[in-house]
Amino acid sequence: MNGLQAPRGVPEYLPPVSEDFLAVRNTLGRAAQLGGYGYIELPVFEDTAVFVRGVGESTDVVSKEMYTFTDRGDRSLSLRPEGTAGVMRSVLEHGLHRGGLPVKLWYAGPFFRAERPQQGRYRQLQQVGVEAIGVDDPLLDAEVIAVADEGYRRLGLRGFRLYLSSIGCRTCRPVYRAALQEFLDGLDLDEPTRQRAQLNPLRVLDDKRPAIQDLLVDAPLPPDYLCDECREHFTRVQQALTALGVRFTLNPRLVRGLDYYTRTTFEFDHPALGAQSGIGGGGRYDGLMESLGGPELTGIGFGLGTDRTLLACQAEGLHPAAARPIEAYIVPVGEAARDAGLVLAGRLRAAGVGVDMAYGGRGMKGAMKGADRSGARWAIIMGERELAEGVVQLKDLETGAQAAVSADEVLGKILTGEIS
Ligand code: HAM
């Protein structure tokens, strides 16, 4: 140890767990691809204004948790705390919204929030997200939610739950907000909570302290204040989810931590994860484009927490990386066999088989240990005699069975799993 460590609260994924991490990301991404979402790769830092205007200045994410720095040109930049605002910036900058609507995009990668680290809550967190922009159709809300549900299902997860609500639009939300504010004004709140109630009363509903929750039992809730259009939209979303077989629970107290949400909001959680049980969330954000200086375009999307989804898989005993990265491990004995082994490894890889080899001229015993450690099913043993006869010894490390097979047959044997 030279004393250097990864920054606090930043998880690292090393083999073999990293294979499961990758499989979670790929599987969630695959669900998005199957839904017709195109991949977008975005900068990890943006102009700070993208997040201040997009996510909202009153949110914890922007006001307390952003990693903001000034670059050499005196510009204020921030590591992205979430993906939606950056996607909107990119769509506007490149005019994607002038093509067919909806614009459907997915992304995956790291996001940064200076939160207090704990199990499942990191300062570098990973998400797989989608955004569907420009069509205000409740069926699109249902599709987005169903894509997330499908992603979790493809991983084999069973214990996750979906909570759904609607928080209204720019017509009905002010009416609700006023009603909530009036209710909160009548409560005996501590000073910080009172200030929060002034700034963003909805956030008070999200206060986890039991004493506050007791005071809020009779608080007015967003779904009771929806205008006719929002109520109709919400009903259609629920009908479509039911038709799709996506199970959900209505939670009228659902509050999302970001300011841009309108109408449909949702969260997935997994009860095995303890305090940080939210494995994904999202919703509609019909005013976001405008707040970034764009046209009046609606949108809906989600961000699924890759780290927490992996934790949920582990809690359910799932190993998403079912396919082994390495199928075969070459054990060459002697210099000529090393050359031949390298060529064989190249040929097998070109045919799609994961192959590793013992390097450094290790002896047979050490090389076989490497084979065991690699997790490969097959050891391909090559010595002088095998080379002379044009064969290799193919050993099934699971059963111990071994057979001499011609170099040309190795691939077929590995693919079919038969060596006799
Ligand atoms: P979010 O709810 O802030 O939404 O984050 C989405 C998911 O990211 C959470 O449900 C959680 O699984 C994961 N996550 C968030 N913070 C952390 C953390 N500190 N450590 C580990 N995992 C974390 C958004 O970010 C929105 N942009 C989602 C969205 C897209 N809404 C519409 N489109």
Side-chain angles (χ1 to χ4, degrees):
M1 253 318 259
N2 59 7
L4 295 179
Q5 291 179 351
R8 207 164 105 76
V10 174
E12 297 181 288
Y13 298 100
L14 311 178
V17 175
S18 51
E19 301 296 342
D20 281 333
F21 175 83
L22 209 53
V24 168
R25 180 158 72 192
N26 291 343
T27 305
L28 298 176
R30 184 72 191 134
Q33 286 176 319
L34 290 172
Y37 291 76
Y39 183 68
I40 182 166
E41 179 75 39
L42 290 175
V44 165
F45 56 87
E46 298 263 5
D47 236 325
T48 300
V50 170
F51 306 117
V52 170
R53 281 160 59 186
V55 181
E57 226 160 346
S58 73
T59 61
D60 283 355
V61 168
V62 166
S63 65
K64 298 190 194 147
E65 298 170 359
M66 221 149 54
Y67 285 96
T68 298
F69 59 98
T70 308
D71 75 359
R72 286 156 208 258
D74 235 13
R75 285 170 284 259
S76 177
L77 300 169
S78 295
L79 297 184
R80 59 183 185 184
E82 62 94 57
T84 312
V87 171
M88 296 309 124
R89 191 273 306 144
S90 184
V91 165
L92 285 176
E93 182 174 341
H94 301 290
L96 299 189
H97 57 292
R98 291 197 285 269
L101 296 177
V103 179
K104 292 168 72 171
L105 299 166
W106 78 278
Y107 51 89
F111 298 88
F112 305 86
R113 297 182 189 178
E115 296 195 78
R116 202 165 44 78
Q118 63 180 80
Q119 170 75 355
R121 185 162 72 194
Y122 307 126
R123 290 183 170 172
Q124 175 174 310
L125 59 121
Q126 301 259 352
Q127 286 183 7
V128 174
V130 309
E131 312 295 347
I133 303 144
V135 176
D136 179 19
D137 182 344
L139 297 192
L140 192 57
D141 302 33
E143 177 190 275
V144 164
I145 295 170
V147 164
D149 184 77
E150 171 66 12
Y152 293 136
R153 261 171 222 296
R154 285 183 155 251
L155 287 165
L157 281 173
R158 305 178 65 87
F160 66 91
R161 301 173 299 200
L162 164 61
Y163 294 101
L164 188 68
S165 190
S166 173
I167 57 169
C169 65
R170 67 177 101 182
T171 310
C172 51
R173 186 118 63 107
V175 182
Y176 168 68
R177 199 184 145 112
L180 179 62
Q181 211 136 35
E182 195 184 320
F183 174 85
L184 294 174
D185 282 348
L187 298 180
D188 184 19
L189 297 170
D190 57 83
E191 196 43 38
T193 311
R194 174 158 306 287
Q195 278 172 15
R196 187 137 28 99
Q198 291 306 319
L199 199 62
N200 191 344
L202 257 82
R203 301 285 298 144
V204 179
L205 281 187
D206 202 24
D207 199 314
K208 300 284 185 297
R209 290 171 295 177
I212 301 283
Q213 280 305 323
D214 285 349
L215 292 174
L216 296 175
V217 174
D218 295 322
L221 296 173
D224 298 330
Y225 285 77
L226 297 181
C227 61
D228 288 348
E229 275 156 45
C230 285
R231 194 172 314 115
E232 168 68 13
H233 187 99
F234 192 36
T235 304
R236 293 284 290 129
V237 173
Q238 295 175 58
Q239 286 168 343
L241 285 174
T242 303
L244 282 163
V246 175
R247 292 175 52 179
F248 59 88
T249 304
L250 293 179
N251 177 7
R253 287 175 184 269
L254 184 81
V255 178
R256 304 273 302 132
L258 313 169
D259 272 357
Y260 48 59
Y261 289 111
T262 55
R263 292 194 164 175
T264 313
T265 48
F266 56 93
E267 256 169 22
F268 290 89
D269 86 352
H270 196 292
L273 297 194
Q276 304 302 318
S277 65
I279 57 171
R284 234 176 212 291
Y285 43 82
D286 292 346
L288 177 55
M289 271 289 193
E290 275 175 287
S291 64
L292 290 173
E296 212 179 296
L297 279 180
T298 60
I300 174 154
F302 64 61
L304 309 184
T306 319
D307 314 270
R308 291 187 193 168
T309 304
L310 174 61
L311 290 173
C313 288
Q314 289 167 343
E316 290 198 19
L318 298 168
H319 284 285
R324 307 166 203 251
I326 293 297
E327 278 295 308
Y329 191 94
I330 298 180
V331 176
V333 184
E335 200 51 32
R338 280 165 33 80
D339 288 342
L342 192 68
V343 173
L344 179 60
R347 272 179 38 209
L348 291 173
R349 287 173 186 151
V353 178
V355 183
D356 201 354
M357 180 167 116
Y359 291 101
R362 273 198 281 176
M364 175 81 174
K365 210 168 140 205
M368 285 306 287
K369 238 189 224 158
D372 280 333
R373 214 175 289 136
S374 74
R377 173 165 173 198
W378 305 100
I380 300 173
I381 304 157
M382 308 169 70
E384 269 170 40
R385 197 169 46 152
E386 282 79 17
L387 276 190
E389 293 172 8
V391 297
V392 302
Q393 296 290 335
L394 186 60
K395 179 169 184 179
D396 186 335
L397 295 171
E398 277 168 16
T399 65
Q402 182 171 328
V405 300
S406 81
D408 292 337
E409 287 173 336
V410 180
L411 176 63
K413 301 282 185 199
I414 289 175
L415 291 179
T416 57
E418 307 274 337
I419 55 170
S420 55

